[in-house]
Amino acid sequence: MQRDTSTTAPLTTSGRIRHRKRSNEVIPEVSKANGTQLLVNDKSKYKSMLIRAYSSVWMIGGFVLIIYMGHLYITAMVVVIQIFMAKELFNLLRRAHEDRQLPGFRLLNWHFFFTSMLFVYGRILSQRLVNTVTSDMVLYRLVSSLIKYHMVICYALYIAGFMWFILTLKKKMYKYQFGQYAWTHMILIVVFGQSSFTVASIFEGIFWFLLPASLIVINDIAAYIFGFFFGKTPLIKLSPKKTWEGFIGASVTTIISAFMLADIMGHSQWLTCPRKDLSTGWLHCDPGPMFKPESYSLPGWIPHWFPWKEVSILPVQWHALCLGLFASIIAPFGGFFASGFKRAFKIKDFGDSIPGHGGITDRMDCQMVMAVFAYIYHQSFVVQQSLSVEMILDQILINLSFNELEALYWRLGEILQRGIPRKS
């Protein structure tokens, strides 16, 4: 008989077949490395696109409704997003076996999370909370006291968590526990260090939150569509399905959209007026020079049959171009960072809460990068840095007690009665 030359598993001395242990390491596919698994070549792309489109419609519809409801509801939405992001990231390094031996250890993570939330939002919303309760003297005094000792309260809560962690250390579990402690603090930096800028932008005017967030959504959708139909050239190895065609098409679309959306949003007082308190009523304000149109005459080389001889442009539209440029070129690197992070942990998505999109963190990677830039740009190039009556009053109300405010009132009255020299 002819000898069988096929490969067989080696035999042990007892005659049993010994199977070689498989490696847990995920071997990257050659097709993904060389970019052949692009959306244009994906056979199941239409089914994936329908699922993704269906989820996107629901998300955009809910987002529009929350924008209509106002600043406080948008802030609540950001808080919910932060909680889901923290949950997904906490679970990333969670080990069930070790957690069973450490009862209450997960609760400690959430203790640090909500302590950080109290610190961050207390710093951002304190003055607006004071403005909300000014008419009620009892609430005003209570809130003023809480704000005065806000940092002490937050520090005490953090130290309590720190002591809790030290007292729960177990032998042979030190490495896991300290790894989780460091991981928790990194999550707090990522979630609160960046998304706190989002909340700050919301109360400067919904415009400064909505426009950057919309540009990221537009860039993401445009990159997917252009890559879906025209993508041929791989962009970066970290994201094999990203293509140069999608990147360039999305960049052009985003910059044009930024200029047009700024004009549409800039005419709405609901979007442009800053919110000075935590109420939900309608807003009326002077929009300021940024949102007042300026006329520009068209150059002479424009044909005579062209119907317009001049155009009106809001000054904020020029700033929107900078936001659009950042959203299309720099912000996508937040997505690339997330892709590399997921590859390091050998996972496809951070979660599965959004069909076709993955988890909440998968949708927020670029948004967080954009939120930081939008706030810094607004404070650096849009907001006037000179002192105003409102800024001085805000500092007086937040730092002085009721008796000190009363003394200041009488003192100012005396100064005004005597007369003060006018500032030249």
Side-chain angles (χ1 to χ4, degrees), residues 171-400:
K171 193 175 181 180
K172 297 183 179 180
M173 302 286 291
Y174 295 154
K175 185 175 182 180
Y176 176 74
Q177 287 181 280
F178 276 101
Q180 287 291 308
Y181 185 81
W183 178 242
T184 299
H185 282 69
M186 198 209 78
I187 292 172
L188 298 181
I189 293 173
V190 170
V191 173
F192 288 107
Q194 300 188 62
S195 56
S196 59
F197 291 95
T198 303
V199 178
S201 295
I202 291 170
F203 286 91
E204 293 290 342
I206 297 178
F207 177 94
W208 298 105
F209 160 77
L210 181 58
L211 180 62
S214 300
L215 294 180
I216 293 296
V217 174
I218 290 171
N219 185 263
D220 186 50
I221 294 174
Y224 184 81
I225 292 175
F226 278 96
F228 185 89
F229 291 105
F230 309 108
K232 295 289 184 181
T233 312
L235 176 63
I236 188 170
K237 290 183 179 180
L238 285 173
S239 295
K241 292 187 178 181
K242 297 287 194 303
T243 64
W244 275 105
E245 291 80 3
F247 182 79
I248 295 172
S251 298
V252 174
T253 304
T254 303
I255 293 172
I256 295 174
S257 299
F259 193 78
M260 297 173 65
L261 283 176
D263 181 51
I264 297 171
M265 297 179 186
H267 288 90
S268 170
Q269 286 194 4
W270 179 244
L271 299 179
T272 57
C273 290
R275 173 71 74 180
K276 299 297 183 181
D277 53 27
L278 300 181
S279 63
T280 57
W282 197 256
L283 287 171
H284 298 282
C285 68
D286 179 8
M290 278 291 161
F291 298 98
K292 293 180 180 178
E294 297 178 351
S295 297
Y296 294 88
S297 299
L298 295 178
W301 51 264
I302 298 295
H304 294 289
W305 51 263
F306 195 73
W308 296 285
K309 301 303 178 185
E310 63 179 21
V311 292
S312 294
I313 298 176
L314 301 179
V316 76
Q317 288 181 260
W318 304 118
H319 293 287
L321 290 177
C322 296
L323 294 176
L325 195 64
F326 186 92
S328 58
I329 297 178
I330 307 299
F333 280 84
F336 301 151
F337 176 85
S339 297
F341 195 84
K342 288 184 285 188
R343 280 177 170 263
F345 285 92
K346 301 179 177 65
I347 57 174
K348 183 178 183 294
D349 296 309
F350 287 104
D352 56 359
S353 53
I354 309 175
H357 293 266
I360 297 293
T361 310
D362 294 285
R363 293 297 91 210
M364 292 296 112
D365 45 16
C366 299
Q367 290 285 5
M368 290 191 296
V369 177
M370 187 69 196
V372 177
F373 173 77
Y375 180 78
I376 293 175
Y377 183 90
H378 176 261
Q379 294 297 313
S380 301
F381 301 106
V382 179
V383 174
Q384 296 181 355
Q385 299 299 324
S386 59
L387 289 175
S388 65
V389 175
E390 287 187 354
M391 292 173 63
I392 296 173
L393 285 176
D394 286 346
Q395 292 299 316
I396 291 173
L397 289 174
I398 197 172
N399 291 301
L400 299 184

Side-chain angles (χ1 to χ4, degrees), residues 53-70 73-78 81 209-210 217:
Y54 181 77
S55 300
S56 298
V57 169
W58 276 101
M59 285 193 296
I60 292 173
F63 183 72
V64 171
L65 176 62
I66 293 173
I67 292 296
Y68 174 77
M69 295 174 71
Y73 293 93
I74 301 172
T75 303
M77 177 190 69
V78 173
I81 289 173
F209 160 77
L210 181 58
V217 174

Side-chain angles (χ1 to χ4, degrees), residues 41-56:
N41 300 320
D42 193 346
K43 295 180 180 179
S44 62
K45 64 178 183 177
Y46 290 103
K47 180 181 178 181
S48 174
M49 183 182 185
L50 287 175
I51 295 174
R52 192 182 180 99
Y54 181 77
S55 300
S56 298

